[in-house]
Amino acid sequence: MGQRVEFPSHDHPCTGYLALPAAGRGPAVVVIQEWWGLVPHIEDVVERFASEGFLALAPDLYHGKTTRSPDDAMKMLMELDAERAEREIAGAGAFLLARPECSSHSWGVVGFCMGGALAQYAATKESGVGAAVSFYGGFKKAPVDWGALTAPLLLFYGEEDKGVSSELGMTMARQFRDVGKDVEAVVYAGVGHAFFNDTRREVYNGIAAEDAWKRTMAHFRKHVR
């Protein structure tokens, strides 16, 4: 279903993995990679969105690099320029909105781990974001200005996540609901980090992943128009 494409982002071209909805047209969603890079799992997520009727694109934020090594992934994460990555995510969103297959005037953004944090970041930076979803996202290279958040935000965490605290996410959601932001946090009991990644059997949790996917679909169908 998918194909590699090139799209502009400010002063440089970017590449990504694009999948079109079978119906021919659909609302736009940008999918943001984990720290492993634009690997087959993320391409599969893009195709899953297309099968649900969305026009989906995952920008390649590592520009061709991928890894299976946690050490190499950490190195690539630390080398990532968060501002440049955010511009490339915005470029992906603009590229989708300009395509004839796009039926929406805004775009959704969803990310996983590193990508989850960048999805939060993009939702505070880009007025074109209609809704955002963050799976166990959090790292300090993306300084989020929560006061600028306008898009509804859905957060997923695993109760047993040792890297991204579910307590932090729940506290954050409460704080921003108190000041009128549309933020919802869902915590899955007995579940750890990366529970949505079905290529990693040691962490994947099918029940949590299925529920999170259903909630994600409902969130985007309601808000990305």
Side-chain angles (χ1 to χ4, degrees), residues 24-146:
R25 300 186 77 233
V29 171
V30 176
V31 180
I32 312 178
Q33 68 196 50
E34 294 176 294
W35 69 348
W36 311 110
L38 184 47
V39 295
H41 167 61
I42 297 300
E43 293 179 348
D44 178 66
V45 173
V46 170
E47 293 181 359
R48 287 181 64 183
F49 271 103
S51 71
E52 295 279 359
F54 291 89
L55 175 65
L57 172 63
D60 185 356
L61 302 182
Y62 286 169
H63 305 148
K65 296 180 180 179
T66 63
T67 186
R68 294 182 179 180
S69 162
D71 290 340
D72 289 343
M74 176 61 76
K75 183 174 184 292
M76 289 191 288
L77 168 62
M78 297 308 296
E79 291 174 349
L80 181 72
D81 183 332
E83 294 292 340
R84 174 175 172 142
E86 195 283 323
R87 290 194 298 269
E88 292 174 353
I89 293 164
F95 174 76
L96 291 179
L97 293 184
R99 290 187 65 95
E101 301 92 346
C102 183
S103 65
S104 60
H105 297 291
S106 63
W107 47 282
V109 60
V110 57
F112 304 85
C113 188
M114 176 192 85
L118 288 169
Q120 297 172 25
Y121 192 33
T124 67
K125 297 276 285 186
E126 304 301 328
S127 60
V129 173
V133 178
S134 173
F135 282 75
Y136 31 84
F139 76 109
K140 295 179 181 179
K141 292 190 70 174
V144 177
D145 175 12
W146 290 108

